Amino acid sequence: MKLRFALATALLLALPAFAVEPGSAPAEGPPGAVNVQLRTRIEGPNAQVLRLNAIRALNDLPPRGAAEQVAAQPVNVATEVTPTTQPLTAETLATAPKPEGFAYTIVRDAIVDELSETILYVKTQKDAKTTTAVPVPKDRALLTQCLAGGKLEDLVHGAIVTARYDPRGVVRPEIIINSTPAIEVLDDAKIADRAGSKLFVVTSDKQTRAFSIEGGAAAWATVVQNGKPEDLTAGTLVKIEYDPSGREGIKITLKNPPAQAAPAEDKGCGCSVYGGPRSLPFGSALFALLAVTVLMRRRSR
């Protein structure tokens, strides 16, 4: 019996793919049977035979004595099997239904930065320098089924969401839309500088903000409500209406618009009207002078 035990022990030591974890439940078989499962792949033509012989040798040993009782404890070598899955593509990313017992990764009250084709980028804080990538289905109909508290159109820049997602990109996410961005109004903001398509202002609470506009510097003419882009000079007080989602354009209203000079009254002759209606036009005076000169020449003859 000792010889068989030694043989079984030697066979187990000869298999590098076995690991002993005492205390596990035995497999189906007679009392005292040993449960041995393959952890990694065993290579070689005789690997299967050696494994079966080792299991049979241990199962044939009756538990006798303290040492043999320890040796006869069920042995469980856990199998680490990686399920074979198809490679993820843009069409299959984040499309699998949630399996029972699956644990999501959760990010709460996150700020939407951008929604791309298959990734929802969110920030955990407003001034965060990095974003968290939440895999989402490319199919917008399927993505709509993953939303609660809002519509797909609400996943815009500035929206507040709570996302439960699979960082591996296999299981479809669950996204709760907590709120959508409202129009932001900055009253009594002071222009700091305007450079091309960018406008820098200092808000009433002494914070520096920057805004940009599409279409180049000439596009500022379309957003200034009661003035010209040239009026957006340093120190000018303005009221700014800004949509963080980008669905509506920015609006800028000058708090103290420049005074418009009243145009001079035009009488139709192009001459000055100072002196009242009694003043003769220059052309009439010249004609009268010429007439007097001709008359004096005739008298002298």
Side-chain angles (χ1 to χ4, degrees):
M1 182 177 298
K2 292 183 179 180
L3 179 60
R4 285 192 297 166
F5 179 76
L7 176 61
T9 304
L11 288 174
L12 286 177
L13 293 177
L15 300 179
F18 281 78
V20 178
E21 295 182 4
S24 303
E28 295 182 1
V34 180
N35 177 19
V36 180
Q37 297 178 351
L38 183 62
R39 176 182 292 274
T40 57
R41 186 177 60 183
I42 299 177
E43 297 179 353
N46 299 324
Q48 185 70 13
V49 176
L50 292 175
R51 181 177 61 180
L52 293 176
N53 290 338
I55 295 174
R56 289 169 182 168
L58 288 176
N59 287 337
D60 290 340
L61 290 175
R64 293 181 181 179
E68 292 183 356
Q69 288 284 355
V70 174
Q73 289 292 330
V75 179
N76 180 27
V77 182
T79 304
E80 294 183 357
V81 179
T82 302
T84 57
T85 57
Q86 295 181 354
L88 292 176
T89 63
E91 285 70 24
T92 61
L93 186 73
T95 57
K98 176 188 174 184
E100 184 177 356
F102 179 79
Y104 276 120
T105 298
I106 305 177
V107 55
R108 304 182 187 277
D109 297 328
I111 306 171
V112 174
D113 186 67
E114 181 186 1
L115 174 62
S116 69
E117 189 176 55
T118 56
I119 298 294
L120 176 66
Y121 296 95
V122 298
K123 291 184 177 182
T124 55
Q125 296 180 355
K126 187 175 182 180
D127 55 350
K129 302 299 183 183
T130 59
T131 59
T132 300
V134 177
V136 297
K138 179 181 178 181
D139 184 1
R140 289 312 186 235
L142 180 57
L143 177 57
T144 301
Q145 300 177 15
C146 303
L147 301 180
K151 300 178 296 183
L152 181 61
E153 293 76 13
D154 297 328
L155 286 181
V156 293
H157 180 81
I160 307 299
V161 300
T162 294
R164 300 161 59 89
Y165 67 99
D166 178 10
R168 300 173 306 164
V170 177
V171 180
R172 66 186 63 170
E174 296 177 358
I175 302 174
I176 302 175
I177 301 175
N178 300 327
S179 63
T180 54
I183 301 297
E184 186 178 1
V185 178
L186 303 178
D187 206 357
D188 292 333
K190 185 179 293 186
I191 301 294
D193 188 20
R194 184 172 68 92
S197 60
K198 294 187 177 296
L199 180 69
F200 302 91
V201 302
V202 179
T203 62
S204 57
D205 55 354
K206 307 303 180 183
Q207 294 185 2
T208 302
R209 297 284 298 273
F211 301 93
S212 60
I213 190 171
E214 297 181 358
W220 289 113
T222 63
V223 303
V224 181
Q225 301 297 305
N226 56 345
K228 302 176 181 179
E230 291 76 13
D231 300 327
L232 300 178
T233 57
T236 303
L237 287 177
V238 294
K239 174 184 177 182
I240 297 178
E241 300 173 68
Y242 171 67
D243 184 3
S245 67
R247 287 179 290 190
E248 296 186 15
I250 187 174
K251 297 180 181 179
I252 301 177
T253 303
L254 301 175
K255 301 288 290 187
N256 299 312
Q260 299 292 336
E265 185 179 359
D266 188 3
K267 293 297 183 178
C269 62
C271 57
S272 176
V273 296
Y274 294 111
R278 295 180 181 179
S279 300
L280 293 175
F282 177 77
S284 300
L286 180 59
F287 178 77
L289 179 60
L290 290 175
V292 172
T293 304
V294 173
L295 182 60
M296 292 180 65
R297 287 182 176 180
R298 287 182 179 180
R299 288 183 179 180
S300 61
R301 290 178 182 177

